[in-house]
Amino acid sequence: MENNISKNSNIRFVAMLLIFFGVYNLIGTGDYKQFLVMFKGLPNFAIFSLYIFTVFYGICCAYCGAAMLRLEDWARKVIVVLTSVSVILGFLLNKLAMGNFKTFLYSGKANVSTEMVGQVYIYIVIFTAIVTIFELFVVFFFTRPRIVKQFA
């Protein structure tokens, strides 16, 4: 019995992290104009699609995280799929986004002093790596057979 409670505690902890991640993702998404800057070079429909996906992803992380507190399997499946898509998009688009962000920082439009530009850029690179590691962890965690059984 105690082992079962421990497993559920792990699920609850990760589900709570997903709720916070979803809310943070929604707060940090910003407006569409920021997406235009970050993904400059892509067609407008692709940028708009990424923006919609990001908002949808944030909502789903929060909503599905709450549903996973009740061990609802559909939420686990949705999060695994959406998080996998997010990781793939990240691997495909991070180079473009980071390059555009660096250009934006050096343009002076970011209101960041020239002394701080390098530090801000390094912070964003580290933050992006942490988010990617978290997303990979979520996919790994919620596809482990022992965890999947908890949702059955």
Side-chain angles (χ1 to χ4, degrees):
M1 182 76 171
E2 187 172 319
N3 194 13
N4 217 9
I5 292 170
S6 173
K7 289 179 188 176
N8 284 341
S9 296
N10 292 337
I11 292 169
R12 285 189 184 108
F13 178 73
V14 177
M16 291 298 295
L17 287 177
L18 274 170
I19 293 168
F20 291 124
F21 179 71
V23 171
Y24 181 81
N25 194 19
L26 286 170
I27 292 169
T29 297
D31 62 16
Y32 182 65
K33 290 178 185 177
Q34 291 172 324
F35 262 68
L36 288 172
V37 171
M38 293 302 295
F39 295 105
K40 182 180 177 184
L42 292 178
N44 283 340
F45 77 90
I47 297 171
F48 182 72
S49 298
L50 286 169
Y51 183 75
I52 295 300
F53 175 78
T54 302
V55 171
F56 179 72
Y57 182 49
I59 293 167
C60 285
C61 282
Y63 187 74
C64 290
M68 281 190 275
L69 291 172
R70 297 182 302 275
L71 298 175
E72 295 183 22
D73 194 42
W74 66 266
R76 181 192 64 80
K77 292 174 183 174
V78 167
I79 283 301
V80 167
V81 170
L82 288 177
T83 305
S84 298
V85 170
S86 179
V87 168
I88 292 167
L89 287 173
F91 282 127
L92 293 174
L93 298 172
N94 273 344
K95 185 176 180 180
L96 172 69
M98 290 300 177
N100 287 339
F101 184 69
K102 194 174 205 178
T103 301
F104 176 70
L105 284 175
Y106 281 110
S107 73
K109 296 177 185 174
N111 294 326
V112 175
S113 68
T114 53
E115 301 87 34
M116 294 295 295
V117 167
Q119 292 174 346
V120 170
Y121 183 74
I122 289 170
Y123 166 78
I124 293 300
V125 169
I126 292 169
F127 181 76
T128 301
I130 290 169
V131 167
T132 303
I133 291 167
F134 173 72
E135 289 179 323
L136 288 169
F137 167 75
V138 166
V139 172
F140 171 75
F141 181 81
F142 285 115
T143 56
R144 290 176 43 219
R146 286 180 18 196
I147 299 300
V148 172
K149 285 180 187 176
Q150 296 293 312
F151 285 88

PDB file of all heavy atoms in Angstrom, residues 1-7:
ATOM      1  N   MET A   1       0.824  -1.207   0.000  1.00  0.00           N
ATOM      2  CA  MET A   1       0.000   0.000   0.000  1.00  0.00           C
ATOM      3  C   MET A   1       0.861   1.262   0.000  1.00  0.00           C
ATOM      4  O   MET A   1       0.615   2.176  -0.751  1.00  0.00           O
ATOM      5  CB  MET A   1      -0.929  -0.035   1.215  1.00  0.00           C
ATOM      6  CG  MET A   1      -1.855   1.136   1.290  1.00  0.00           C
ATOM      7  SD  MET A   1      -3.172   0.939   0.102  1.00  0.00           S
ATOM      8  CE  MET A   1      -4.216   2.249   0.573  1.00  0.00           C
ATOM      9  N   GLU A   2       1.903   1.278   0.847  1.00  0.00           N
ATOM     10  CA  GLU A   2       2.755   2.462   0.937  1.00  0.00           C
ATOM     11  C   GLU A   2       3.464   2.732  -0.379  1.00  0.00           C
ATOM     12  O   GLU A   2       3.612   3.874  -0.793  1.00  0.00           O
ATOM     13  CB  GLU A   2       3.772   2.285   2.063  1.00  0.00           C
ATOM     14  CG  GLU A   2       4.567   3.556   2.325  1.00  0.00           C
ATOM     15  CD  GLU A   2       5.425   3.424   3.557  1.00  0.00           C
ATOM     16  OE1 GLU A   2       4.949   2.858   4.553  1.00  0.00           O
ATOM     17  OE2 GLU A   2       6.564   3.898   3.497  1.00  0.00           O
ATOM     18  N   ASN A   3       3.900   1.659  -1.089  1.00  0.00           N
ATOM     19  CA  ASN A   3       4.561   1.814  -2.383  1.00  0.00           C
ATOM     20  C   ASN A   3       3.613   2.452  -3.391  1.00  0.00           C
ATOM     21  O   ASN A   3       4.002   3.281  -4.199  1.00  0.00           O
ATOM     22  CB  ASN A   3       5.065   0.456  -2.869  1.00  0.00           C
ATOM     23  CG  ASN A   3       6.033   0.586  -4.025  1.00  0.00           C
ATOM     24  OD1 ASN A   3       6.509   1.680  -4.309  1.00  0.00           O
ATOM     25  ND2 ASN A   3       6.311  -0.520  -4.665  1.00  0.00           N
ATOM     26  N   ASN A   4       2.346   2.071  -3.344  1.00  0.00           N
ATOM     27  CA  ASN A   4       1.327   2.638  -4.219  1.00  0.00           C
ATOM     28  C   ASN A   4       1.135   4.128  -3.948  1.00  0.00           C
ATOM     29  O   ASN A   4       1.015   4.924  -4.874  1.00  0.00           O
ATOM     30  CB  ASN A   4       0.013   1.886  -4.010  1.00  0.00           C
ATOM     31  CG  ASN A   4      -0.756   1.705  -5.282  1.00  0.00           C
ATOM     32  OD1 ASN A   4      -0.256   1.978  -6.353  1.00  0.00           O
ATOM     33  ND2 ASN A   4      -1.972   1.224  -5.140  1.00  0.00           N
ATOM     34  N   ILE A   5       1.125   4.507  -2.689  1.00  0.00           N
ATOM     35  CA  ILE A   5       0.980   5.913  -2.318  1.00  0.00           C
ATOM     36  C   ILE A   5       2.177   6.705  -2.816  1.00  0.00           C
ATOM     37  O   ILE A   5       2.042   7.806  -3.332  1.00  0.00           O
ATOM     38  CB  ILE A   5       0.815   6.058  -0.789  1.00  0.00           C
ATOM     39  CG1 ILE A   5      -0.531   5.475  -0.367  1.00  0.00           C
ATOM     40  CG2 ILE A   5       0.921   7.501  -0.360  1.00  0.00           C
ATOM     41  CD1 ILE A   5      -0.714   5.343   1.128  1.00  0.00           C
ATOM     42  N   SER A   6       3.361   6.118  -2.710  1.00  0.00           N
ATOM     43  CA  SER A   6       4.580   6.778  -3.172  1.00  0.00           C
ATOM     44  C   SER A   6       4.512   7.038  -4.677  1.00  0.00           C
ATOM     45  O   SER A   6       4.879   8.103  -5.147  1.00  0.00           O
ATOM     46  CB  SER A   6       5.799   5.924  -2.827  1.00  0.00           C
ATOM     47  OG  SER A   6       6.947   6.471  -3.399  1.00  0.00           O
ATOM     48  N   LYS A   7       4.042   6.063  -5.437  1.00  0.00           N
ATOM     49  CA  LYS A   7       3.917   6.242  -6.888  1.00  0.00           C
ATOM     50  C   LYS A   7       2.939   7.365  -7.194  1.00  0.00           C
ATOM     51  O   LYS A   7       3.192   8.199  -8.049  1.00  0.00           O
ATOM     52  CB  LYS A   7       3.461   4.939  -7.546  1.00  0.00           C
ATOM     53  CG  LYS A   7       4.508   3.861  -7.559  1.00  0.00           C
ATOM     54  CD  LYS A   7       3.952   2.612  -8.196  1.00  0.00           C
ATOM     55  CE  LYS A   7       4.905   1.448  -8.062  1.00  0.00           C
ATOM     56  NZ  LYS A   7       4.348   0.210  -8.588  1.00  0.00           N
TER      57      LYS A   7
END
